[in-house]
Amino acid sequence: MKYILCRAFLISVFTFCLAFPATAQQVKNYTFFEGTQYPLRVTWVFGDEPGPTIMVQGGIQGDELSGFFTAQLLTRCKVRKGSLIIVPRANEPSILRRARQINVDLNRRFDKEYNSFYEDRLARAIRFLISGAEGFIHLHEGSGFYNPKYVNSLRNPKRYGQSLIIDAAVYKDIKLADMCDRAIAMLNAQIKNPSYYFTLFNTDTFAKATQYPEMLKSLTCYALHERGIPAMAVEVSKDINDLGWKVNQQLRATVYLLREFGIELDVPDFTFPNSPTGKGFEILINGRPLRGNSIELVRGAPVSTSGKAVAESGLDPAVAVFASDRPNLNLLTAPRMALSQFPALEVRIDGSRQAKTNVNWKGSKPDLPEVNGPVFLCWLNGQPQFISAGGTLKVVEGDQIILEGILGSSREEILNLKGFVASVTVNSGQDVGYEIIADPSNFMEKYMLEGQDGISRYRVVRETPGKKRSEFYLVISPREIKALELKDEGGNHDFVNWESGQQKLLRPDSYALADVWSNGDRCKIQAFVDNIPISWGETFSVRPGKETVLTMRHATTFVPVGQMVFKGTDYLQSQLDQ
């Protein structure tokens, strides 16, 4: 296999000049948890010839830049044999904050099923993706330089940089050390500075005396131990300042390991930009461009945010607009009403701050009298909801809720959803401004009030100092699917009663997944055909005598709602049916 390893490849990253034949590469892009604060963008690249399916992931920890750039570069490769599942930014909220974690370390959530924070929903989806792979490569960036013996503070067994990490030299019949040793030999042969050489790092995770017991919770360990597939991490060093060089070496290492798995691919030429994260952006606040040192907003009015960014790399970056009082709520995907004032807005692209704009406020008013008690403002799936004291907000499992505040109040109110923990670091009872997913299993059971027919009920309490205590109720109903609407190639509509766990005979044809009847918003249901996600309106095939599995999941939690099997009737039977 011939790799494009020209001089430009060896010293640069990002802007592509594809030099491949005109034949189109089969590529599928899909975003899990779309519209939430934690979108998970995935790319499937299907090779020209059959072969193994390997998953490559970066960005599980947001302060490790190389991994998400390398993984996204890989989406531009030409795969000739085999297929790739690529997750460039596994933890977008942490990338946007340039932090290892927001609540908990996502790479320590794979030893069991957790359900406390958004990271656990991401882990659920990542486990699903890895179940469709025959091998796994994890892209990281660690401090210092790994060395099996202590040399100095930067080179010792507790450092991770410039290493290929495995959990065991041999696991059952999987010879991980041999695979990595061959890749390391090719890597180091082209690295001029011996102090930057890669080293094999065997954490010996399963040994009783392992020095790295935390690795039992990692994703590579999960892939190896629970899925039984080869898995390793490629870790470049944070103490090497040249980002382009690091991404280049990480990409080379990934390509060499993919060859070990039996993947054949070509890497396009690219050049490293001056600013890998940002080239420009166009952000609109209430229809006006966000430019300069200040912007004018009206207190008590909506703050409508839209826009996009362009990275000099030509890749699609993670973009956010943060209000200074809510540093983890991306206004590009969350509504906001300016009930209380905040000093500034900030634009970030892949965690790099591109602009900070001060807010000049108009229309400031004193507190309005609460004649009949306070009126609570919440957002339900992006739409405003006004609830009187003692009232009820009815939602469906998986819905998105943001507590905004109290109408007419001039201050930041404290609203406490009893049973919900907004922040693992500071549990102050303040739940205003956080994205809350209506998932009773995610709330503390002792705070759930008695309900009927599986309905969960919780209190949202005003706990603002100096204000009269009041509350309203949040009622969560289980999500139900009643029926599906399918449309065949002839434009005919088929209506299918939803019976989870059952088999349904269908005429062999291509069907568009046209609509669903349920007790909630359609966009909160995510459909999968034979474990591949499809969008509403997208088609799938039912073949004679073959079974097609349609699975529905909550779009915000990834928990299954149900599953049906469609089996194509044979040709003769289908003619009789007509």
Side-chain angles (χ1 to χ4, degrees):
M1 179 172 62
K2 182 179 179 181
Y3 290 86
I4 303 173
L5 292 174
C6 60
R7 177 176 175 78
F9 177 88
L10 294 174
I11 63 173
S12 59
V13 180
F14 295 116
T15 300
F16 289 76
C17 300
L18 296 178
F20 298 120
T23 56
Q25 177 86 67
Q26 287 189 327
V27 177
K28 180 180 179 66
N29 296 298
Y30 194 86
T31 301
F32 297 94
F33 310 113
E34 190 167 18
T36 71
Q37 292 292 301
Y38 46 96
L40 184 70
R41 292 181 279 177
V42 183
T43 298
W44 285 261
V45 183
F46 302 98
D48 299 330
E49 300 178 16
T53 298
I54 308 300
M55 180 169 162
V56 181
Q57 179 174 280
I60 201 169
Q61 291 148 342
D63 59 347
E64 302 179 7
L65 279 66
S66 300
F68 56 82
F69 289 136
T70 301
Q72 193 155 9
L73 280 169
L74 196 64
T75 66
R76 303 294 181 88
C77 291
K78 171 69 175 178
V79 179
R80 292 183 281 107
K81 182 179 180 180
S83 297
L84 298 177
I85 303 170
I86 306 170
V87 184
R89 294 170 177 82
N91 191 347
E92 190 164 300
S94 72
I95 290 171
L96 288 168
R97 299 312 310 181
R98 285 282 173 93
R100 181 179 178 87
Q101 63 193 59
I102 300 297
N103 297 299
V104 290
D105 188 341
L106 178 52
N107 201 33
R108 298 294 182 266
R109 306 299 275 186
F110 294 95
D111 57 322
K112 62 181 180 180
E113 180 76 24
Y114 296 93
N115 190 28
S116 297
F117 305 103
Y118 83 84
E119 290 94 342
D120 300 324
R121 300 178 191 122
L122 288 174
R124 196 174 291 144
I126 291 167
R127 281 193 292 266
F128 166 82
L129 290 168
I130 215 165
S131 69
E134 297 158 75
F136 177 63
I137 302 171
H138 214 182
L139 305 178
H140 283 275
E141 187 171 349
S143 63
F145 302 84
Y146 170 75
N147 195 291
K149 295 183 179 180
Y150 187 92
V151 177
N152 54 45
S153 61
L154 277 181
R155 295 182 183 275
N156 59 66
K158 294 297 183 181
R159 298 293 187 171
Y160 284 72
Q162 295 306 103
S163 68
L164 267 58
I165 304 177
I166 55 177
D167 292 287
V170 178
Y171 185 81
K172 297 181 179 178
D173 60 344
I174 302 173
K175 299 180 180 180
L176 292 167
D178 288 350
M179 295 174 68
C180 290
D181 280 339
R182 287 189 289 267
I184 288 171
M186 289 185 287
L187 272 170
N188 291 344
Q190 298 186 51
I191 295 175
K192 295 181 179 180
N193 186 347
S195 64
Y196 288 176
Y197 280 175
F198 283 83
T199 304
L200 180 64
F201 183 177
N202 179 6
T203 59
D204 207 8
T205 302
F206 308 108
K208 290 183 179 180
T210 180
Q211 299 180 52
Y212 310 94
E214 71 278 4
M215 297 302 292
L216 288 166
K217 299 182 177 184
S218 70
L219 182 53
T220 53
C221 180
Y222 170 82
L224 183 65
H225 181 61
E226 299 296 330
R227 304 305 309 177
I229 61 175
M232 63 281 293
V234 180
E235 192 113 18
V236 294
S237 177
K238 290 181 179 179
D239 289 280
I240 297 175
N241 293 325
D242 189 338
L243 178 62
W245 187 90
K246 289 190 291 187
V247 172
N248 170 56
Q249 301 307 319
Q250 195 167 53
L251 183 58
R252 287 180 57 228
T254 303
V255 169
Y256 294 146
L257 290 170
L258 288 173
R259 289 178 65 183
E260 292 288 330
F261 283 114
I263 299 288
E264 296 181 6
L265 75 165
D266 296 314
V267 180
D269 293 339
F270 48 84
T271 54
F272 186 65
N274 294 326
S275 174
T277 53
K279 179 181 180 181
F281 61 87
E282 184 65 35
I283 301 295
L284 301 179
I285 306 295
N286 295 336
R288 292 174 294 170
L290 183 66
R291 296 196 184 100
N293 296 322
S294 65
I295 189 170
E296 190 174 87
L297 295 177
V298 178
R299 187 185 171 278
V303 180
S304 175
T305 309
S306 62
K308 61 182 180 178
V310 178
E312 194 168 338
S313 61
L315 305 176
D316 295 326
V319 187
V321 178
F322 294 120
S324 51
D325 61 337
R326 299 180 185 178
N328 291 318
L329 189 73
N330 186 356
L331 296 182
L332 287 175
T333 53
R336 179 77 191 261
M337 189 80 79
L339 298 184
S340 58
Q341 299 179 177
F342 50 87
L345 290 168
E346 180 181 85
V347 179
R348 283 179 170 257
I349 300 177
D350 275 335
S352 173
R353 192 170 82 178
Q354 303 294 304
K356 185 176 181 179
T357 302
N358 296 323
V359 179
N360 297 325
W361 290 98
K362 292 180 61 178
S364 296
K365 297 178 181 179
D367 286 349
L368 298 178
E370 298 173 359
V371 178
N372 298 313
V375 176
F376 297 87
L377 171 59
C378 305
W379 299 95
L380 175 60
N381 299 329
Q383 299 301 313
Q385 305 291 319
F386 303 94
I387 310 104
S388 299
T392 298
L393 176 63
K394 295 182 179 180
V395 307
V396 179
E397 185 181 357
D399 281 347
Q400 294 163 269
I401 305 156
I402 297 175
L403 304 179
E404 187 66 74
I406 303 288
L407 288 182
S409 175
S410 65
R411 59 194 295 187
E412 181 74 69
E413 295 278 347
I414 297 178
L415 304 184
N416 186 353
L417 171 54
K418 297 297 185 179
F420 171 75
V421 179
S423 172
V424 69
T425 55
V426 181
N427 187 13
S428 63
Q430 173 62 296
D431 296 328
V432 166
Y434 289 91
E435 181 179 60
I436 302 169
I437 304 300
D439 177 9
S441 65
N442 185 231
F443 299 164
M444 298 171 69
E445 187 175 355
K446 67 179 181 179
Y447 289 97
M448 186 178 73
L449 306 177
E450 290 187 9
Q452 297 177 348
D453 301 325
I455 295 176
S456 304
R457 193 163 170 256
Y458 301 88
R459 297 163 58 227
V460 180
V461 183
R462 181 189 199 181
E463 297 180 343
T464 310
K467 295 288 186 177
K468 185 178 179 180
R469 189 181 179 94
S470 58
E471 63 185 39
F472 72 92
Y473 296 95
L474 177 67
V475 173
I476 306 174
S477 299
R479 188 171 297 277
E480 298 175 356
I481 298 176
K482 304 293 186 181
L484 300 175
E485 179 185 356
L486 307 178
K487 186 168 70 173
D488 64 23
E489 281 192 324
N492 301 307
H493 292 259
D494 288 306
F495 297 92
V496 178
N497 289 330
W498 180 260
E499 299 175 273
S500 185
Q502 300 300 308
Q503 185 182 85
K504 171 73 174 178
L505 295 177
L506 285 180
R507 298 183 311 277
D509 207 337
S510 290
Y511 293 90
L513 190 60
D515 209 346
V516 63
W517 278 264
S518 76
N519 62 338
D521 289 354
R522 185 180 76 175
C523 65
K524 295 295 179 288
I525 300 174
Q526 197 167 46
F528 294 78
V529 173
D530 294 335
N531 285 336
I532 297 294
I534 67 169
S535 303
W536 295 101
E538 194 173 347
T539 60
F540 65 95
S541 296
V542 176
R543 296 182 176 86
K546 302 292 185 182
E547 292 185 347
T548 299
V549 180
L550 177 65
T551 304
M552 297 294 188
R553 294 177 179 269
H554 291 284
T556 53
T557 68
F558 211 72
V559 172
V561 181
Q563 186 178 87
M564 283 190 71
V565 177
F566 297 137
K567 186 172 182 179
T569 57
D570 59 36
Y571 179 78
L572 179 59
Q573 184 63 49
S574 66
Q575 294 301 305
L576 291 174
D577 291 342
Q578 294 178 3

